[in-house]
Amino acid sequence: MNSSLRKVALVGGSGHLGPSILQALQSDPTTFDVTVISRHSSQALFPPSTKVLRVSDDYPPDEMVSAFRGHDAVVLSLNFAAEFQHHSALVDASIEAGVKRLIPSVWAGRIDVAEAREIFPLAAVKYGVLEYVRRRAVECEGWSWTSVSTGLFSDLCLETNFYGLDPSTHTAKIWGDGTAKFSATTHDSIGLAVAAILKSHPAETKNKDVYISSFDISLNDLLAAYKSATGVSDWTINTGDVDEGIEEAKRVHATSSDVMEKMRAMGLLGLLVGLKEGLGADFTAAGVVDNEMLGVPRGDLEQAVVRALKK
């Protein structure tokens, strides 16, 4: 273990992902000393033993430098609005505070693939975030980063029917022939990966993007898991062409004045970019997956579906 990365500041300890990162770090108290950095206006609740430092809602640079000072690592788990408004300033604050390692708020898919960024605008945003981090690492000796690429957030996608499979009506939208595989990762696995990076693999992951995946799955795999979990084998199947779906979703996102319609189009682009051939969305097939190095186990898809159905 490299004890130099023991003291960790977590920005964004609530929301969808933050609690799982916090739990993974707090589950190893002999290794990690964790402080959650939370905005004054936040109503988030944390486990009773959690050290919480409150800062102003707009993350003022002087406050953030003070909040980060004395920590070995900073983990950023921000929503999209905060990433757009504050991420670069938080990166700079971690550098000024003397932090050794930053895990930026990337948590994405194959943003390194130019065509994926062209299809899915949020991938381009994430790429810009990471490019800034890379530039700062070149300029700042003693400061480093590790980004974590997760593919889709498996838990959230299952709970929101993001994949287009609706267990309440037993209907499914299958794009293409349903066999294209893409990677998705559970929140718990993401937390385990962060802990492993900071505890056991700081050297191997220095200034690198690591890839983790709980599942490398297709829509057909998901449909089979849902059929098994629900006990219903007769589902209504609708089909669609991936390329046509991408073009229509891009048109809607570019022209619609309805906010919810634009958001649905953006979500669909996030799914279809993983189904388009040649973009490396299946981390294992692309040869980039780092689960073994980090000791992050693979998941059981049917069990994950069952858990989602119980929520």
Side-chain angles (χ1 to χ4, degrees):
M1 182 190 76
N2 188 334
S3 61
S4 65
L5 299 182
R6 178 175 181 271
K7 295 194 67 176
V8 183
L10 171 60
V11 182
S14 58
H16 292 297
L17 179 58
S20 295
I21 297 174
L22 178 60
Q23 181 181 22
L25 297 174
Q26 288 184 326
S27 67
D28 191 357
T30 61
T31 297
F32 297 113
D33 178 1
V34 188
T35 299
V36 172
I37 311 296
S38 184
R39 295 169 296 121
H40 282 301
S41 66
S42 174
Q43 300 299 309
L45 299 177
F46 303 101
S49 61
T50 304
K51 292 194 296 184
V52 181
L53 178 61
R54 300 287 179 178
V55 296
S56 301
D57 284 14
D58 57 349
Y59 299 121
D62 57 340
E63 282 190 45
M64 298 315 299
V65 171
S66 178
F68 291 159
R69 186 166 285 126
H71 289 92
D72 305 310
V74 167
V75 180
L76 301 180
S77 177
L78 307 175
N79 60 35
F80 290 127
E83 285 173 1
F84 182 77
Q85 296 175 26
H86 304 297
H87 197 280
S88 295
L90 292 173
V91 170
D92 292 344
S94 75
I95 295 169
E96 186 174 344
V99 169
K100 298 179 179 67
R101 179 67 52 90
L102 175 83
I103 297 184
S105 192
V106 176
W107 323 111
R110 295 301 302 275
I111 61 174
D112 58 320
V113 177
E115 188 176 355
R117 301 195 299 272
E118 189 277 328
I119 292 171
F120 187 39
L122 291 182
V125 173
K126 295 282 190 178
Y127 185 75
V129 165
L130 187 54
E131 283 294 279
Y132 184 79
V133 171
R134 287 171 171 154
R135 288 197 300 272
R136 296 298 281 140
V138 172
E139 299 164 352
C140 303
E141 185 177 357
W143 180 86
S144 60
W145 58 271
T146 304
S147 70
V148 184
S149 291
T150 63
L152 295 172
F153 286 0
S154 174
D155 307 304
L156 182 61
C157 290
L158 290 172
E159 292 166 15
T160 60
N161 296 340
F162 175 84
Y163 296 123
L165 286 80
D166 188 344
S168 64
T169 61
H170 306 115
T171 59
K173 181 65 175 282
I174 301 297
W175 294 93
D177 63 5
T179 63
K181 288 188 179 290
F182 54 91
S183 293
T185 307
T186 66
H187 293 155
D188 287 347
S189 291
I190 297 170
L192 291 175
V194 170
I197 288 166
L198 299 177
K199 176 180 180 177
S200 306
H201 301 282
E204 301 96 317
T205 61
K206 180 180 179 181
N207 295 337
K208 292 182 179 178
D209 188 12
V210 301
Y211 292 81
I212 57 170
S213 172
S214 298
F215 314 104
D216 302 315
I217 50 177
S218 68
L219 293 181
N220 287 347
D221 294 333
L222 280 162
L223 180 58
Y226 270 106
K227 287 181 176 181
S228 177
T230 60
V232 177
S233 60
D234 187 15
W235 283 50
T236 300
I237 308 298
N238 300 305
T239 60
D241 180 83
V242 172
D243 289 330
E244 291 176 1
I246 288 172
E247 292 308 311
E248 176 62 13
K250 288 169 68 174
R251 183 194 68 78
V252 171
H253 186 264
T255 61
S256 178
S257 59
D258 185 282
V259 174
M260 292 305 297
E261 194 173 51
K262 290 174 75 73
M263 289 179 63
R264 286 192 294 270
M266 179 66 76
L268 182 56
L269 288 172
L271 174 63
L272 294 179
V273 74
L275 300 177
K276 185 173 174 61
E277 292 185 9
L279 302 187
D282 180 345
F283 294 170
T284 301
V288 297
V289 73
D290 292 305
N291 285 54
E292 184 175 353
M293 176 186 71
L294 297 176
V296 176
R298 295 302 186 112
D300 183 298
L301 180 60
E302 187 169 329
Q303 290 181 8
V305 171
V306 169
R307 286 194 299 271
L309 291 175
K310 291 180 179 178
K311 293 188 176 181

